[in-house]
Amino acid sequence: MQIQPTTGAQSEAAHQLTPSGLWALTITTGVTVASLYYNQPLLDAIARSFHRTAGEAGAIPTLTQAGYATGLLLIVPLGDVLERRRLLLATLVAVAVALGLAAMAPSLGALAALSFAIGLTGVGPQIAVPFAAALTPPERRGKTVGLVMTGLITGILLARTVAGAVGSAYGWRVVFGGAAAAMLVLAASVASFLPRAPAGERVRYVDVLRSIPPLVVRYPLLREAALAGGMAFAAFSAFWTALTFHLSAAPWSYGPGTIGAFGLVGVAGALAASAAGRLADRTGPRRVVGYGLATLAASFVLMFAFRTSLAGLIAGIVLLDLGVQGTHISNQARVYSLPAELHSRLNTVYMVSYFVGGALGSLLGAAAWTHFGWPGVCALGAGMAGVALAAHLIGGRTGES
């Protein structure tokens, strides 16, 4: 299979990202990534609708993130060899189809399979982020990535709130159907506002995939960022998967609407994304990664110590989101300091690690809740953050601060 860019003589550097284009990418990342997280506050309602257990419903977010990791590996690298706007549009239409079918799923098994498809086709944000980074001067790259990631994080957080509210009023199927319609509207908007940016390479698809593993060997910075990011997101996913069951049980006994509203508590994490990017530009992203991992570990200690306090839970969520997003933004700034012509493939390595960690975290979070309750979930999250922080502290420097 020979892949040719639509305008081989042009390079991405010849295109400039306008403010409207940057905002289009920011909105795209937020709305698209939300499709991966609508299921979390609805897990209890989904389980009851199919007469299944919480543990069985926990397979849904796990398969969504596994599908996303697969899409990162197989689809996102095409951003280095295909025109990115067209590739982004194709993924938006595909995820709309998967969401529409999920709304009509006849069984939990079918919904789980379609959840994998939603993750597989919902990789638009990881096409958009390197798109923005490649079209931005190095001295503003952290700020630009931070802004786009603010949209992504806001989408993650509001997805839970919107899904919880709509699910409470109209049922979980309406959430997925409405999301499908929103993705089609977004695709039409992207076609109007994003610039065309043909890639400058001519390479076979199989050669693109073969070129990815050597990047892991070549760049120690990439390995360090992938490990820290994957473990941080594993802790994050374990928490949010288990939180639905924690808040559905006594003494809370909250419904999907109230559970979804807890996503708003994490808005501090969205606000931290842009700030983390600016701080990384000033002080060096490696240092900010360390701060983020330490904050993440502290959040689980707090939520265990004040496990019967609503105020303690809220404070822990704020710290958790601050820690995860500070770590993630700074890691991406590090990765995008590597050669621009490799950005999509470098992003693939980092984000596959990130979402493999997320899938593992969702699986272990549901298991920890089933067997050990909330203390087990807190111990799991703190342990994951601790492993990442230890690896970060003992890791060798790579010449980049």
Side-chain angles (χ1 to χ4, degrees):
M1 177 182 177
Q2 185 77 24
I3 296 176
Q4 298 183 9
T6 54
T7 310
Q10 289 183 288
S11 71
E12 213 169 32
H15 297 262
Q16 292 185 350
L17 187 63
T18 64
S20 61
L22 178 57
W23 279 108
L25 284 174
T26 300
I27 294 169
T28 296
T29 59
V31 176
T32 307
V33 80
S35 65
L36 308 178
Y37 295 94
Y38 290 133
N39 58 57
Q40 287 186 346
L42 303 173
L43 290 177
D44 188 62
I46 290 171
R48 286 187 284 105
S49 73
F50 290 119
H51 307 290
R52 297 297 187 93
T53 66
E56 290 172 321
I60 291 174
T62 298
L63 287 170
T64 303
Q65 289 164 357
Y68 197 73
T70 304
L72 288 168
L73 181 63
L74 298 180
I75 298 174
V76 171
L78 292 173
D80 284 338
V81 295
L82 291 180
E83 199 275 303
R84 279 181 174 155
R85 186 179 68 173
R86 183 177 298 175
L87 179 61
L88 180 57
L89 285 170
T91 64
L92 296 179
V93 173
V95 75
V97 172
L99 286 163
L101 292 174
M104 300 181 288
S107 66
L108 185 63
L111 181 59
L114 287 164
S115 295
F116 182 89
I118 290 169
L120 178 69
T121 56
V123 294
Q126 302 312 321
I127 298 168
V129 174
F131 193 166
L135 299 180
T136 303
E139 65 274 12
R140 297 203 308 270
R141 191 165 291 148
K143 181 179 179 180
T144 295
V145 171
L147 178 60
V148 176
M149 290 301 299
T150 295
L152 185 146
I153 298 158
T154 300
I156 293 173
L157 298 172
L158 293 184
R160 299 184 182 95
T161 303
V162 171
V166 174
S168 290
Y170 303 106
W172 64 266
R173 294 183 185 274
V174 174
V175 175
F176 286 98
M183 296 310 300
L184 293 177
V185 172
L186 180 64
S189 300
V190 163
S192 300
F193 289 104
L194 287 186
R196 292 177 59 84
E201 292 188 67
R202 178 175 297 184
V203 61
R204 296 185 307 164
Y205 177 62
V206 67
D207 290 335
V208 174
L209 297 182
R210 286 174 178 168
S211 71
I212 293 174
L215 298 178
V216 180
V217 177
R218 187 186 312 168
Y219 297 110
L221 181 157
L222 180 61
R223 296 196 299 271
E224 183 182 327
L227 175 61
M231 294 302 291
F233 196 54
F236 179 89
S237 297
F239 169 80
W240 282 106
T241 296
L243 182 66
T244 299
F245 305 121
H246 181 50
L247 294 178
S248 299
W252 316 105
S253 300
Y254 293 147
T258 304
I259 294 171
F262 274 78
L264 294 175
V265 177
V267 167
L271 299 177
S274 184
R278 292 193 297 270
L279 183 62
D281 286 339
R282 292 198 304 269
T283 67
R286 192 176 193 279
R287 180 177 298 177
V288 181
V289 170
Y291 295 155
L293 292 172
T295 301
L296 175 60
S299 73
F300 284 101
V301 174
L302 178 66
M303 287 187 287
F304 172 76
F306 297 94
R307 54 190 176 277
T308 60
S309 166
L310 185 60
L313 179 61
I314 291 172
I317 292 173
V318 171
L319 287 180
L320 180 140
D321 279 309
L322 285 171
V324 170
Q325 305 312 334
T327 298
H328 182 49
I329 299 306
S330 302
N331 267 331
Q332 286 201 309
R334 297 184 79 199
V335 170
Y336 292 139
S337 70
L338 297 173
E341 66 273 15
L342 301 174
H343 276 180
S344 286
R345 281 164 282 182
L346 293 167
N347 191 54
T348 289
V349 174
Y350 174 71
M351 292 306 300
V352 165
S353 300
Y354 197 73
F355 277 88
V356 165
L360 178 64
S362 292
L363 182 65
L364 294 180
W369 168 259
T370 299
H371 296 290
F372 304 106
W374 190 244
V377 174
C378 292
L380 175 67
M384 289 173 167
V387 168
L389 181 58
H392 178 75
L393 292 175
I394 67 175
R397 292 186 177 272
T398 60
E400 178 269 342
S401 61

